[in-house]
Amino acid sequence: MAASSTLSRLNLVRRPSLTYALTTLRALKPRCRQQPRPQWAPLSSSSKSFSAHLSTPKSPNPSSPKAHPKIPGPDDDLLVLGIETSCDDTAAAVVRSSGEILSQVVSSQADLLARYGGVAPKMAEEAHLQVIDKVVQETLDRANVSETDLSAVAVTIGPGLSLCLRGNLSDISLFGVRKARKTAGSFNLPIIGVHHMEAHALVARLIERNLQFPFMALLISGGHNLLVLARDLGQYVQLGTTIDDAIGEAYDKTAKWLGLDMRRSGGPAIEELAHEGDAESIKFSIPMKQHKDCNFSYAGLKTQVRLAIESKHINAEIPISCASRHDRSSRADIAASFQRVAVLHLEERCERAIEWALNIEPSIKHLVVAGGVASNLYVRARLDQVVKKNNLQLVCPPPNLCTDNGVMVAWTGIEHLRMGRFDPPPPADEPEDLVYDLRPRWPLGEEYAEGRSEARSLRRARMHPSLTSIIQASLQQQR
Ligand code: KG4
Ligand code: ZN
């Protein structure tokens, strides 16, 4: 903890790039066990790198290896380790480019969640620090591979945990990034910096191999609510985002105020209790009805819920397991009514977004719904109806690939590696106290101009250029 806050203040230290590098070199050798790995090299000055647009190391490290990284061919067998520490879970996985998941390990912070009623960033930092080495080792062991079998390491570099952003704490992706760079540096592997929300969307392509670009995605998690049009890999149009809280945050707060068991986070607890309640009993109003756009807001609904809880004299100190029958039934009514309106807001925005997206890309056939909240069966069923009405198909990854996981990071790494977007191996002797190029505020795509809303009051300060703009700029440079 102390180390990370020091890091975020030390701007003088050189920053290694965690962006992707586009190389112009050719075919990566297929990876399989016992095969000698190709050597990787720092990019030559003629290579095109995203680093040009962002911070780079001030001087190339002399200890970097000298051979050349190569772009894999479409049929090459790639094996990628993915590491994810951008939120409360510490996760890793090994995935093959065929789509085979060799192993995945998630160390969740269930006890911390229960004790603090949500993610506590400082606690999350400590927890990541304690378990990251074990999680990665167990992932490799379960996959029955060693680091030398890997083609690359992929790691989430942003955007960060919402609480960290609000609390101005350092980004906890740092723990995964340090581990990833150390592994990649020691074993001379290329490294891919992954956008957390892109990973949520792309894992759907691992599950549904027919899912081609362009497609739409609704990404719903604890810190983000995004409606995007995925035109191509690395080319996203943001149709809508949240102007305040994300839906997962509203689920978590509602669960906490209702005295629910937070060990699996608030969402599953609300989903379960809502089955017992009457969803029409409390008439919460649907957010942003007057704004005919695709943005979201959950702060107002949270306030409505809090007022309803106060008016029914529900005491969150009394766990639901100890509540009287009448009290339990009041709590269930609130859970069900909240869930109905929270999801109606999603439905309304999706309807409009589908219309917009089909105007831009009439060939769209799929809506991907992913992120932690997408593991909710009620959410899936309601959105399935919206999608069917519009002659589209819903693609939802299985629940364990909706909540944060290493598979989505490894898979996104594979997708980018295949396109030649990676950084060369970091130096094996990279000092631990470097300041890394993390991206706590990092949009996925450019905002759809016609969808810009007056209700939007997003803080834009300290935002990174979007993933899409970085990739497009790099491609233009290459031409
Ligand atoms: O994607 P995720 O695992 O982490 C972030 O990137 O934030 O999403 C976590 C969020 C939490 O707010 C959690 O309460 C919510 O997903 N969640 C659910 C369900 N399972 C997880 N929300 C509603 N219903 C669920 N079954
Ligand atoms: Zn997530």
Side-chain angles (χ1 to χ4, degrees):
M1 179 47 232
S4 56
S5 38
T6 316
L7 278 180
S8 55
R9 285 200 307 273
L10 287 178
N11 295 328
L12 297 176
V13 189
R14 75 208 141 98
R15 271 170 194 249
S17 148
L18 281 164
T19 57
Y20 314 110
L22 274 185
T23 74
T24 51
L25 301 163
R26 300 192 60 85
L28 168 76
K29 271 200 209 148
R31 307 304 329 282
C32 58
R33 304 203 71 183
Q34 272 85 47
Q35 200 177 16
R37 254 187 329 94
Q39 294 294 296
W40 305 90
L43 295 169
S44 70
S45 54
S46 61
S47 301
K48 305 297 186 281
S49 161
F50 293 131
S51 311
H53 306 278
L54 295 155
S55 46
T56 48
K58 279 201 177 118
S59 58
N61 193 306
S63 62
S64 296
K66 293 283 177 271
H68 289 285
K70 297 179 180 166
I71 297 176
D75 299 326
D76 284 345
D77 178 23
L78 304 169
L79 199 60
V80 171
L81 167 68
I83 301 178
E84 159 64 49
T85 63
S86 72
C87 198
D88 48 334
D89 294 329
T90 311
V94 175
V95 177
R96 202 178 272 288
S97 48
S98 63
E100 187 189 355
I101 300 169
L102 271 71
S103 66
Q104 65 163 318
V105 175
V106 180
S107 164
S108 88
Q109 298 176 14
D111 290 342
L112 290 175
L113 278 172
R115 207 176 320 148
Y116 297 97
V119 182
K122 290 197 182 213
M123 305 292 159
E125 284 192 15
E126 282 298 329
H128 283 308
L129 196 57
Q130 279 171 24
V131 301
I132 185 78
D133 287 342
K134 270 191 229 146
V135 166
V136 169
Q137 192 54 54
E138 199 177 325
T139 304
L140 294 169
D141 290 349
R142 282 197 202 174
N144 198 21
V145 297
S146 79
E147 289 89 340
T148 53
D149 300 316
L150 297 172
S151 314
V153 181
V155 62
T156 306
I157 59 172
L161 171 65
S162 59
L163 283 174
C164 279
L165 299 180
R166 280 185 229 142
N168 208 20
L169 288 166
S170 60
D171 193 318
I172 54 179
S173 303
L174 175 69
F175 299 100
V177 167
R178 267 205 203 127
K179 179 69 185 172
R181 289 188 73 85
K182 207 164 177 183
T183 309
S186 309
F187 295 90
N188 203 25
L189 301 166
I191 187 161
I192 304 125
V194 168
H195 190 296
H196 182 85
M197 301 313 287
E198 186 190 33
H200 271 308
L202 290 188
V203 77
R205 281 167 48 88
L206 180 153
I207 298 309
E208 176 59 65
R209 301 310 286 270
N210 292 327
L211 178 60
Q212 304 289 339
F213 294 102
F215 61 85
M216 285 182 67
L218 170 68
L219 308 174
I220 38 180
S221 68
H224 299 270
N225 249 71
L226 279 178
L227 261 166
V228 295
L229 165 59
R231 303 188 85 166
D232 207 340
L233 183 66
Q235 204 188 329
Y236 306 98
V237 179
Q238 181 182 293
L239 303 171
T241 184
T242 182
I243 62 166
D244 43 52
D245 294 325
I247 184 170
E249 153 75 10
Y251 265 95
D252 290 337
K253 281 290 161 12
T254 301
K256 183 180 171 185
W257 295 333
L258 288 176
L260 307 191
D261 181 351
M262 300 287 290
R263 265 175 299 182
R264 288 179 302 148
S265 77
I270 293 283
E271 182 180 10
E272 206 176 303
L273 184 63
H275 290 299
E276 297 174 29
D278 174 2
E280 305 278 350
S281 61
I282 303 166
K283 303 287 179 215
F284 295 129
S285 53
I286 303 172
M288 294 182 81
K289 275 293 251 188
Q290 71 281 20
H291 295 282
K292 305 293 178 203
D293 58 48
C294 295
N295 291 315
F296 301 89
S297 163
Y298 281 95
L301 180 58
K302 263 168 60 182
T303 306
Q304 292 183 61
V305 167
R306 191 170 46 75
L307 294 174
I309 289 172
E310 278 168 21
S311 76
K312 289 185 183 288
H313 307 290
I314 290 165
N315 181 358
E317 302 283 306
I318 301 172
I320 184 97
S321 50
C322 304
S324 67
R325 237 167 89 178
H326 175 261
D327 189 5
R328 185 180 178 97
S329 142
S330 302
R331 296 188 202 204
D333 285 348
I334 292 174
S337 303
F338 156 75
Q339 176 164 265
R340 178 177 156 271
V341 171
V343 178
L344 274 172
H345 187 29
L346 295 181
E347 292 169 45
E348 202 237 346
R349 286 359 227 180
C350 278
E351 287 267 13
R352 186 171 296 115
I354 291 172
E355 207 179 290
W356 287 5
L358 285 172
N359 277 337
I360 308 169
E361 293 274 10
S363 63
I364 290 170
K365 294 191 176 51
H366 298 95
L367 171 70
V368 168
V369 182
V373 182
S375 46
N376 182 303
L377 296 182
Y378 178 78
V379 170
R380 288 172 181 237
R382 298 291 306 194
L383 291 173
D384 194 39
Q385 286 185 18
V386 172
V387 162
K388 285 211 177 100
K389 211 165 74 189
N390 289 280
N391 295 320
L392 299 181
Q393 213 182 312
L394 189 75
V395 181
C396 265
N400 70 334
L401 297 183
C402 280
T403 47
D404 288 353
N405 62 85
V407 174
M408 67 185 198
V409 179
W411 178 254
T412 303
I414 289 169
E415 294 242 32
H416 281 270
L417 195 57
R418 276 185 183 142
M419 300 291 289
R421 293 178 190 138
F422 50 82
D423 275 346
D429 56 355
E430 187 167 86
E432 285 231 333
D433 59 348
L434 282 183
V435 176
Y436 298 110
D437 179 21
L438 301 178
R439 298 155 186 209
R441 291 185 183 280
W442 190 18
L444 189 51
E446 298 307 300
E447 207 175 335
Y448 178 46
E450 289 169 44
R452 227 165 251 158
S453 150
E454 286 171 16
R456 290 284 306 278
S457 60
L458 266 190
R459 287 163 296 164
R460 287 168 181 280
R462 292 185 292 120
M463 270 218 192
H464 269 279
S466 73
L467 174 73
T468 301
S469 67
I470 295 169
I471 289 177
Q472 293 312 308
S474 174
L475 287 173
Q476 265 170 19
Q477 234 188 23
Q478 261 213 328
R479 279 181 203 128

